[in-house]
Amino acid sequence: MWRIAVDSKVLDVNSSYAYILWCRDFRATSVVAEIGSEIAGFVTGYLRPEAPGTVFVWQVAVDHAFRGRGLGVAMLEQLVENVAEHGVSILETTISPDNEASQAMFAALARRRGAELTRESLFEPQDFPDGHESEDLYRIAPLHEVAHTTREDHR
């Protein structure tokens, strides 16, 4: 997971130790995709303590060798299925304004789920001490069951 995050060149990279702890402590709200014997991607998330019906997606990453196959959306779908039994009906994430790939991926998830996707400003550059760019909050709700899938959805 750490290597994929580093190789992405776009994610805020945490320490390798943080990813190991994440897998231990947030296993129920995270997904690791394996293809063959390789880690192909991951989603890290957690249930918001103040809003237990909301899963917050921290990071989504797909290894370069496995991109373009819909793996990111498939992992998000798996996460939504995993947390549904806990009464989760809202997904939140933050995306920087220039990250069009992530915006498209979460828009695809909202369409597949028949849910509304909303966006609002959450953090501005001045909120960060390290020059981080702004982050917009994206909310997908309610997370309905997938009505149907097509071959295109699972390329």
Side-chain angles (χ1 to χ4, degrees), residues 44-65:
T44 54
Y46 60 88
L47 297 181
R48 290 197 48 219
E50 302 83 25
T54 300
V55 63
F56 182 86
V57 173
W58 174 251
Q59 291 185 319
V60 178
V62 176
D63 185 87
H64 289 287

Side-chain angles (χ1 to χ4, degrees), residues 1 23 53 62-63 88 95 97 101 105 111 113 123 143 145 154:
M1 289 171 63
C23 289
V62 176
D63 185 87
V88 171
I95 306 173
M105 179 177 56
R111 278 191 310 275
R113 289 283 167 168
F123 299 118
L143 293 168
E145 293 280 328
H154 296 288

Side-chain angles (χ1 to χ4, degrees), residues 18-124:
Y19 289 99
I20 292 169
L21 282 176
W22 200 283
C23 289
R24 185 191 77 165
D25 294 340
F26 298 105
R27 174 181 302 249
T29 53
S30 299
V31 174
V32 174
E34 293 182 62
I35 297 178
S37 60
E38 295 184 62
I39 301 298
F42 68 87
V43 174
T44 54
Y46 60 88
L47 297 181
R48 290 197 48 219
E50 302 83 25
T54 300
V55 63
F56 182 86
V57 173
W58 174 251
Q59 291 185 319
V60 178
V62 176
D63 185 87
H64 289 287
F66 299 99
R67 290 189 181 162
R69 302 181 190 185
L71 187 57
V73 173
M75 290 187 298
L76 288 170
E77 286 282 5
Q78 184 62 55
L79 173 63
V80 169
E81 292 298 320
N82 292 351
V83 298
E85 66 190 45
H86 300 288
V88 171
S89 62
I90 300 168
L91 182 145
E92 291 183 343
T93 194
T94 59
I95 306 173
S96 58
D98 65 343
N99 190 338
E100 294 177 6
S102 286
Q103 293 167 18
M105 179 177 56
F106 283 94
L109 177 67
R111 278 191 310 275
R112 288 176 47 86
R113 289 283 167 168
E116 181 180 3
L117 174 68
T118 59
R119 179 183 62 86
E120 63 185 71
S121 177
L122 184 62
F123 299 118
E124 296 298 327

